[in-house]
Amino acid sequence: MTDTPTRRRLLQAGLALPGALLLNPLQAAEADRLRIGYQKSSTLMIYLKSKGVLEKALAPWNVSVQWHEFNSGLPLLEALNVGAIDLSADVADAVPAFALAAGAQLTYYAIETPSPQAQAIVVRKDSPVTSVAQLKGQKVAFAKGAGAHYLLLEALARNGLSIQDIEPAYLSPADARAAFETGKVAAWVIWDPFLAAVQRQSGARILVDGTRLSAYRRFYLAATPYAQRRPDVLGLVYGELQRAGNWIKHNPNQAAEWHAPVIGLDAATVEVANQRRSYQVQPPDAEALAEQQRIADAFSQAQIIPRKVRIADSPVWRPAS
């Protein structure tokens, strides 16, 4: 395979590309496998992975499951775009615009309802910064294309600023936390469970969260060719995601005890993060898709993505009534 920038980004994101992923379409159909990308924040899909739910449910259909972890949503959807995976776990609301601007063929198949408090702009506990306006001229860390990116745009705009008024530091969550704690950046825009972790472990102070700025829905997407070929598999995954979300919200203590060792955090931190997430899975609705268009427009107007994106051009899978 040619060493392209996209391939390098996928390798950096932690997606190995073994020979099995380089099969031609006919071979892929014969193998009949489902390749899923997820992040540490993909709680519902991680639950299904850890319990082997999809493997058991799809075995009678002769469909195997492969899992690939990414450090943020943008490289995940890049992998979906180039055909390295078939299905994404949840990504933040800002991420699809970047993938669609790159020409990705994506199908929306589910959303999580809003969780605005599950992402925030934070500063260190001893920081003199007390308002977003005071970030002017300062270095701010965030993952490019993440929901945090859009939250920052909105927060700056509410204070009469733009992205040009700060110094962006495009960093993965792990690198951003190191820069944040050593004082190399003035602020960090981050989502749960990383948000809960830096609050509890480092005493980080929330400058502003997504309340009245960004609804922070989480979106689940599929490669359109896969969605067209296996809508039955999408239906099964959708139903299991709904059940997982209901279990987590109705069993918060048990859910935190299960989730903590899986992602390397303590249960108390995970429970804080889970309280701020809705985990309510439903089909993509008109309101959510309209918000997707507003987000895409905000990025194109700020010249962060190269062209205008029409969300209405992307297919939407819906469960059978």
Side-chain angles (χ1 to χ4, degrees), residues 195-212:
L195 172 58
V198 77
Q199 282 183 279
R200 287 180 52 81
Q201 296 166 3
S202 302
R205 174 164 48 85
I206 290 180
L207 207 56
V208 63
D209 64 23
T211 303
R212 293 185 295 279

Side-chain angles (χ1 to χ4, degrees), residues 216-240:
Y216 192 55
R217 291 174 175 87
R218 306 282 298 184
F219 288 80
Y220 294 77
L221 299 105
T224 294
Y226 186 86
Q228 292 172 341
R229 184 171 71 87
R230 295 305 306 256
D232 54 340
V233 173
L234 261 63
L236 185 145
V237 173
Y238 174 84
E240 295 297 348

Side-chain angles (χ1 to χ4, degrees), residues 10-317:
L10 297 180
L11 293 173
Q12 290 166 0
L15 174 63
L17 292 175
L21 291 185
L22 303 179
L23 298 173
N24 64 41
L26 177 59
Q27 289 172 312
E30 290 171 350
D32 218 4
R33 67 187 179 278
L34 172 61
R35 301 165 300 173
I36 302 174
Y38 68 99
Q39 310 171 64
K40 186 171 282 191
S41 57
S42 301
T43 307
L44 303 187
M45 203 66 90
I46 289 173
Y47 177 84
L48 300 184
K49 177 180 182 292
S50 70
K51 302 294 185 182
V53 171
L54 297 181
E55 287 82 352
K56 293 172 189 173
L58 290 169
W61 298 6
N62 224 14
V63 176
S64 63
V65 183
Q66 295 177 353
W67 299 90
H68 303 281
E69 185 176 355
F70 294 80
N71 60 22
S72 64
L74 188 54
L76 195 166
L77 290 197
E78 287 176 343
L80 202 63
N81 182 23
V82 300
I85 59 174
D86 306 305
L87 211 64
S88 86
D90 53 301
V91 296
D93 46 14
V95 185
F98 283 78
L100 294 170
Q105 291 185 305
L106 304 179
T107 293
Y108 290 87
Y109 73 94
I111 64 169
E112 287 178 27
T113 56
S115 303
Q117 294 180 324
Q119 61 175 352
I121 303 174
V122 297
V123 295
R124 290 180 303 281
K125 61 183 178 182
D126 59 351
S127 171
V129 174
T130 58
S131 71
V132 172
Q134 290 176 321
L135 294 177
K136 185 174 183 178
Q138 303 274 2
K139 185 178 287 188
V140 179
F142 57 97
K144 186 174 184 178
H149 196 162
Y150 179 65
L151 172 59
L152 179 61
L153 285 187
E154 289 296 294
L156 290 171
R158 291 286 180 92
N159 286 269
L161 303 174
S162 74
I163 199 76
Q164 283 75 35
D165 291 309
I166 62 150
E167 184 180 346
Y170 300 125
L171 298 172
S172 69
D175 291 340
R177 178 157 178 177
F180 178 77
E181 292 186 335
T182 56
K184 293 179 180 176
V185 297
W188 181 21
V189 198
I190 191 57
W191 59 91
D192 277 322
F194 307 104
L195 172 58
V198 77
Q199 282 183 279
R200 287 180 52 81
Q201 296 166 3
S202 302
R205 174 164 48 85
I206 290 180
L207 207 56
V208 63
D209 64 23
T211 303
R212 293 185 295 279
L213 290 173
S214 172
Y216 192 55
R217 291 174 175 87
R218 306 282 298 184
F219 288 80
Y220 294 77
L221 299 105
T224 294
Y226 186 86
Q228 292 172 341
R229 184 171 71 87
R230 295 305 306 256
D232 54 340
V233 173
L234 261 63
L236 185 145
V237 173
Y238 174 84
E240 295 297 348
L241 288 168
Q242 278 194 319
R243 281 186 277 278
N246 290 336
W247 182 81
I248 287 173
K249 293 310 283 188
H250 288 95
N251 300 276
N253 295 331
Q254 286 177 264
E257 291 292 340
W258 150 74
H259 198 191
V262 175
I263 60 173
L265 293 172
D266 63 280
T269 296
V270 171
E271 190 163 359
V272 169
N274 285 349
Q275 286 171 354
R276 294 190 288 224
R277 282 276 291 275
S278 75
Y279 293 128
Q280 183 181 351
V281 176
Q282 65 181 37
D285 57 18
E287 183 180 352
L289 296 173
E291 185 188 43
Q292 282 283 276
Q293 188 63 62
R294 289 194 298 274
I295 292 170
D297 290 345
F299 281 120
S300 62
Q301 288 164 10
Q303 299 183 326
I304 295 169
I305 58 176
R307 65 181 181 87
K308 185 174 175 62
V309 168
R310 273 179 45 87
I311 298 299
D313 291 342
S314 296
V316 177
W317 174 89

